């Protein structure tokens, strides 16, 4: 217990550039999900989840529609996933996931941020083993005990359950995300999911101060500003 995962809310300060980055990334993710699994929301759970999340983050409906219409019109764009693992100051670690149509551009951008902040890139797996890959589902309306009963009834194994200020948070295997949501929806038909994530969660967090903290914040800001960066995970308490 006590993972205290913070929802990844687009570190979107209300600036035009930040909004543009958010909209662009959702457009890519939605296009890729529709291309892979089909354009019908009810038969493509991944697409439906992305569209719901985009709407919650106030992505304009025309951007969502255009991304899906690209698939309908036969536009063939190709995006690939790329992961970079970084060692920051004083024992801090960072995982950067990209969705890109140009891997060379992505790695060049990541290296530029790394060099400016005087940190290091690690080999594949050098950081990731310190994190758990989990789905996170958060909602209101059931206690942790009631939620556990629902999940046991659905024959689902989970990693953890937390309850905080009326919000119940379930951590589980990413492949069980939709089954976990279905089990909760069965108990609360009109439930709204405050958290609906698949993330890398650090097994342990650290605290930084002084120049180390300043450098780390600079690194995270630079990484999040990169066009191809989809998610940034780290082990620092902020």
């Amino acid at each position: 217990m006590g993972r205290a995962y913070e929802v990844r809310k687009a570190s979107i300060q209300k600036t035009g550039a930040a909004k543009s980055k958010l909209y662009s990334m959702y457009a890519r993710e939605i296009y890729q999900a529709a291309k892979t699994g089909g354009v019908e929301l009810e038969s493509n759970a991944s697409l439906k989840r992305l569209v719901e999340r985009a709407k919650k983050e106030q992505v304009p409906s025309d951007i969502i529609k255009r991304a899906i219409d690209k698939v309908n019109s036969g536009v063939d764009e190709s995006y690939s996933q790329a992961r970079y693992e970084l060692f920051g100051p004083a024992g801090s670690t960072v995982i950067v996931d990209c969705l890109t149509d140009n891997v060379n551009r992505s790695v060049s951008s990541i290296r530029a941020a790394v060099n400016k902040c005087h940190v290091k890139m690690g080999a594949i797996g050098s950081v990731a083993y310190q994190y758990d890959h989990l789905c996170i589902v958060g909602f209101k309306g059931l206690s942790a005990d009631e939620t556990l009963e629902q999940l046991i009834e659905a024959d689902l194994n989970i990693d953890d359950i937390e309850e905080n200020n009326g919000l119940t948070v379930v951590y589980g295997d990413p492949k069980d995300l939709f089954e976990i949501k279905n089990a909760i929806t069965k108990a609360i038909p009109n439930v709204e999911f405050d958290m609906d994530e698949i993330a890398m969660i650090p097994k342990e967090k650290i605290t930084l101060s002084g120049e180390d903290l300043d450098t780390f914040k600079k690194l995270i800001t630079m990484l999040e500003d990169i066009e191809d960066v989809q998610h940034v995970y780290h082990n620092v308490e902020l």
Side-chain angles (χ1 to χ4, degrees):
M1 301 292 282
R3 289 181 183 277
Y5 175 73
E6 298 177 6
V7 175
R8 182 188 72 91
K9 299 197 178 270
S11 42
I12 305 280
Q13 300 150 13
K14 299 299 181 181
T15 66
K19 284 184 180 179
S20 176
K21 163 77 188 294
L22 177 70
Y23 298 167
S24 174
M25 187 52 64
Y26 266 114
R28 293 185 195 189
E29 291 180 346
I30 289 169
Y31 168 82
Q32 193 68 22
K35 181 181 177 183
T36 303
V39 298
E40 297 299 327
L41 268 61
E42 295 309 315
S43 59
N44 185 343
S46 295
L47 177 61
K48 183 178 181 181
R49 170 176 169 267
L50 273 171
V51 169
E52 288 173 350
R53 286 184 58 199
K55 288 179 177 178
K56 279 186 180 180
E57 296 205 51
Q58 300 181 335
V59 177
S61 57
D62 64 313
I63 289 177
I64 296 171
K65 183 176 182 298
R66 282 203 303 270
I68 295 174
D69 285 347
K70 275 187 183 181
V71 178
N72 285 326
S73 63
V75 172
D76 188 17
E77 296 179 355
S78 181
Y79 295 103
S80 59
Q81 300 276 351
R83 169 167 288 176
Y84 305 96
E85 303 180 28
L86 314 180
F87 293 97
S92 59
T93 57
V94 183
I95 294 176
V96 185
D97 283 344
C98 295
L99 182 64
T100 180
D101 58 357
N102 187 327
V103 174
N104 289 334
R105 181 184 65 220
S106 296
V107 71
S108 294
S109 299
I110 300 293
R111 285 192 185 281
V114 164
N115 291 337
K116 286 182 180 178
C117 295
H118 306 291
V119 298
K120 295 180 180 179
M121 289 185 73
I124 295 173
S126 60
V127 167
Y129 77 94
Q130 301 176 50
Y131 290 69
D132 291 321
H133 186 214
L134 297 172
C135 69
I136 306 102
V137 177
F139 57 92
K140 296 174 182 175
L142 291 178
S143 68
D145 288 340
E146 291 168 334
T147 300
L148 184 59
E149 288 180 15
Q150 290 295 320
L151 297 174
I152 290 173
E153 185 178 321
D155 197 26
L156 290 167
N157 293 318
I158 60 165
D159 185 87
D160 203 353
I161 298 182
E162 290 181 347
E163 194 173 352
N164 187 19
N165 294 326
L167 184 70
T168 299
V169 183
V170 178
Y171 301 86
D173 191 310
K175 68 178 175 54
D176 292 333
L177 172 62
F178 299 112
E179 285 77 6
I180 290 171
K181 290 173 66 178
N182 287 339
I184 303 307
T185 302
K186 183 178 178 182
I188 316 174
N190 296 316
V191 65
E192 265 195 40
F193 293 103
D194 299 275
M195 301 169 69
D196 178 3
E197 298 277 336
I198 294 176
M200 300 293 288
I201 304 178
K203 295 176 181 178
E204 294 185 8
K205 285 192 171 184
I206 67 169
T207 302
L208 299 180
S209 60
E211 287 187 12
D212 290 334
L213 181 58
D214 292 341
T215 297
F216 185 80
K217 287 181 176 179
K218 178 182 176 183
L219 173 65
I220 297 302
T221 297
M222 291 184 69
L223 292 171
E224 290 183 339
D225 283 344
I226 295 171
E227 178 185 359
D228 295 330
V229 169
Q230 186 179 23
H231 303 291
V232 177
Y233 307 111
H234 61 77
N235 68 339
V236 177
E237 291 279 6
L238 292 177

